[in-house]
Amino acid sequence: MVHAGIAGATGYGGVELFRLLANHKDIKNISLYSSSEAGSPYASLMPQLSEWFSDELKPIETERMKEELDVLFLATPAGVSRDLTPLFQGSGVKVIDLSGDLRLQNPADYEKWYKKTPAPGQLLDEAVYGLPETNGEKIREADILANPGCYPTAVLLGLAPLADSGLLEKKSLIIDAKSGISGAGKSPNDKTIYTNTEENFRVYKVNEHQHIPEIEQQLKRWSGRSESVSFTPHLVPMTRGIMATMYIDVSLHEHPESWMDLYRTFYANSPFVRVRDEFPATKDVYGSNFCDMHVKADERTGRLTIVSVIDNLVKGASGQAIQNMNIMLGFEETRGLKLFPLYP
């Protein structure tokens, strides 16, 4: 039985972690930590949890945490894990970082895209990138794990079968992605307030999004080539969900009628990836840890269209973090995550 801790428990990712961990039969205790709300009853900040959890948020005290915890989730803003994770190295506590601090192996890339001081090189070398469907063996041995970003999760799962078959030509890859408002985090700003999102559709961070180098880094690991991708994110007036649409030039004669078979074979043993007979919608995975996808070739243009959808707070963050925890601790991969999507 496991004692889990969540640092950053008051953000969207932290609340979702608590919701999922509270229904995980191998979690005996959950401690919640906050640097800004320590001492406050969690239910006073999250009234939906009244009668379920009456404990107060704890301050971040690393020595006590190392004594008490088996696994620590860092649902913190960028720049926090960089300083906090090294304090747990070698302590026996498994650390799963949901921020971007440990995802990029090149410190210069982190400094360029996140505009912050990068984590120590030794820490970056130890951190394992946690995309379970493609990196399960390394995740199983990891003590420190970098949970993928929400956009990269949808994109990379959509591209992995092509990369595995040597069919990925990154120079022709265009990624058009849309996210719900919760992807921007809990703190409001001028672009996420109701009057500027309701009945509105906005492109943002064009050629500047911090998930671009994460996608490119993983594609390079798969193909051995270093090339850039075109990635354009959009903000959609919905609470949850990501849809990533990828367009890539391919040699259609290589797989004229078997693209779906290629994908189904690749994900045959992946419990949270569903290769569908039709293009999926974001509501098809709402509140779940599923990634749904469909692929279709266009003989007229010689281009393949891949559509991948996830719930950005579950498969794109907290659900995937728990999936990684299950692998790291030797539990069934689906433990605590067998949730039907919410509908309507």
Side-chain angles (χ1 to χ4, degrees), residues 136-156:
E137 291 185 10
K138 289 186 178 180
I139 294 170
R140 194 168 290 109
E141 303 299 324
D143 291 319
I144 297 175
L145 185 131
N147 211 56
C150 51
Y151 279 128
T153 296
V155 170
L156 293 171

Side-chain angles (χ1 to χ4, degrees), residues 112 199 329:
K112 173 184 176 180
E199 294 192 19
L329 298 181

Side-chain angles (χ1 to χ4, degrees), residues 159 161-170 172 225 248-251 254-255 259 262 304:
L159 297 175
L162 298 180
D164 184 67
S165 299
L167 298 172
L168 195 59
E169 294 292 338
K170 291 187 293 178
S172 68
R225 297 188 305 271
I248 182 168
D249 295 332
V250 293
S251 299
E254 296 182 27
H255 289 271
W259 293 104
L262 175 71
L304 200 65

Side-chain angles (χ1 to χ4, degrees), residues 237-254:
M238 61 185 185
T239 301
R240 293 171 179 247
I242 280 179
M243 176 179 284
T245 305
M246 282 82 65
Y247 308 94
I248 182 168
D249 295 332
V250 293
S251 299
L252 296 181
H253 67 276
E254 296 182 27

Side-chain angles (χ1 to χ4, degrees), residues 7-25:
T10 61
Y12 289 146
V15 176
E16 196 72 345
L17 274 168
F18 178 79
R19 179 178 77 91
L20 296 171
L21 287 171
N23 289 287
H24 194 297
K25 68 179 184 180

